[in-house]
Amino acid sequence: MTKNLIIAIDGPSGAGKSTLGRMLARALNLLYIDTGSMYRALALAVMESSISASDDIAVGSLASRVDIDIKGDPDSLKVILEGRDVTDEIRSEEVTDISSVISTIPAVRRAMVVRQREMGKRGAVLNGRDIGTVVFPDADVKVFLTAAPDERAQRRFSEESEQKTDVSFEATLADMIERDLRDSTRADSPLRSADDAIIIDSTGLSIDEVFKQMMAEVENKSGGKPPFPT
């Protein structure tokens, strides 16, 4: 396996990036980096400070100095904030809302890009919204994963309804459409497919079917030889 193989998976919320990213990292014995978790960790740091999420300068400054790390294998990934495991805490609805807001701040994105490049340079599967366009524009494999909004919303709704009963599909869909608009129209690192990315629409496909397409692309980029450990 190429030691520093970089695989970039971009796409909107609910497209399956996390699940498929973990599957690829596990199959290829690579580090898995869910960049969204890094923004969530920063959102939690903002919540725990006296900083307002709307204060771009203060949030950008915090992003440049707060200690955020990702550890563990793809199936037991731990998100560490200032030495503390916050893996579960960053999944709250409030953290999700704030992370969506602060991720549009240019200074925050610049700070996160520096961290992501440092973490991923030894070889990794990274998922996010600007990995193939900004973070690793020279990634060995680039995938833009998408799906119809209704299907992505249904996936997210199914996940959330297992944990709380006060959610509705309509509200989940509305939130997702709003998030898509915000991500694709922001001035800094908007969500878009890299020119050289393979676009996979997972609408109506199983996870295994999409995974096979991704693995075929990895093999194609490696000259027809799977970059697996031998």
Side-chain angles (χ1 to χ4, degrees):
M1 180 183 66
T2 303
K3 184 177 181 181
N4 61 346
L5 182 72
I6 299 292
I7 299 177
I9 306 175
D10 290 309
S13 176
K17 300 186 301 294
S18 296
T19 299
L20 287 155
R22 286 193 297 268
M23 291 173 70
L24 278 176
R26 185 167 58 248
L28 300 172
N29 194 29
L30 289 170
L31 174 67
Y32 171 62
I33 301 175
D34 179 356
T35 61
S37 293
M38 299 176 69
Y39 287 98
R40 286 172 176 270
L42 176 60
L44 181 60
V46 169
M47 289 168 54
E48 294 178 342
S49 71
S50 58
I51 296 173
S52 168
S54 61
D55 187 336
D56 290 9
I57 294 177
V59 175
S61 176
L62 179 63
S64 68
R65 65 178 189 274
V66 71
D67 183 20
I68 298 172
D69 197 7
I70 295 179
K71 298 179 178 180
D73 61 60
D75 294 315
S76 58
L77 213 61
K78 300 296 184 184
V79 181
I80 311 299
L81 173 64
E82 297 291 352
R84 170 174 128 241
D85 183 354
V86 296
T87 307
D88 294 331
E89 290 180 71
I90 63 172
R91 293 300 162 186
S92 73
E93 185 175 351
E94 186 177 5
V95 167
T96 298
D97 292 342
I98 292 178
S99 67
S100 180
V101 172
I102 65 172
S103 66
T104 65
I105 301 174
V108 167
R109 301 203 71 85
R110 287 194 295 270
M112 290 300 175
V113 166
V114 171
R115 295 168 186 267
Q116 291 157 13
R117 285 175 176 166
E118 182 64 27
M119 294 172 66
K121 66 182 181 182
R122 60 186 182 274
V125 177
L126 302 95
N127 84 46
R129 288 166 173 75
D130 62 351
I131 309 302
T133 54
V134 176
V135 183
F136 283 105
D138 297 324
D140 300 283
V141 178
K142 299 179 186 179
V143 175
F144 189 85
L145 184 62
T146 188
D150 283 5
E151 184 158 333
R152 291 189 285 114
Q154 184 59 56
R155 295 171 185 171
R156 183 57 50 82
F157 172 68
S158 297
E159 294 174 359
E160 293 180 345
S161 60
E162 291 179 357
Q163 302 175 345
K164 50 190 178 182
T165 58
D166 60 341
V167 295
S168 69
F169 171 76
E170 292 74 16
T172 302
L173 177 59
D175 287 344
M176 186 160 287
I177 292 174
E178 181 182 351
R179 177 71 182 269
D180 288 349
L181 179 63
R182 187 161 55 234
D183 287 344
S184 60
T185 58
R186 67 187 178 218
D188 194 272
S189 304
L191 169 65
R192 67 176 180 84
S193 172
D195 294 337
D196 54 347
I198 176 176
I199 299 175
I200 299 178
D201 188 334
S202 65
T203 305
L205 299 178
S206 69
I207 288 293
D208 287 340
E209 288 172 324
V210 179
F211 177 68
K212 288 178 181 178
Q213 288 190 43
M214 288 185 165
M215 287 302 298
E217 180 67 8
V218 172
E219 292 183 28
N220 178 55
K221 292 293 187 179
S222 62
K225 297 180 179 180
F228 307 137
T230 56

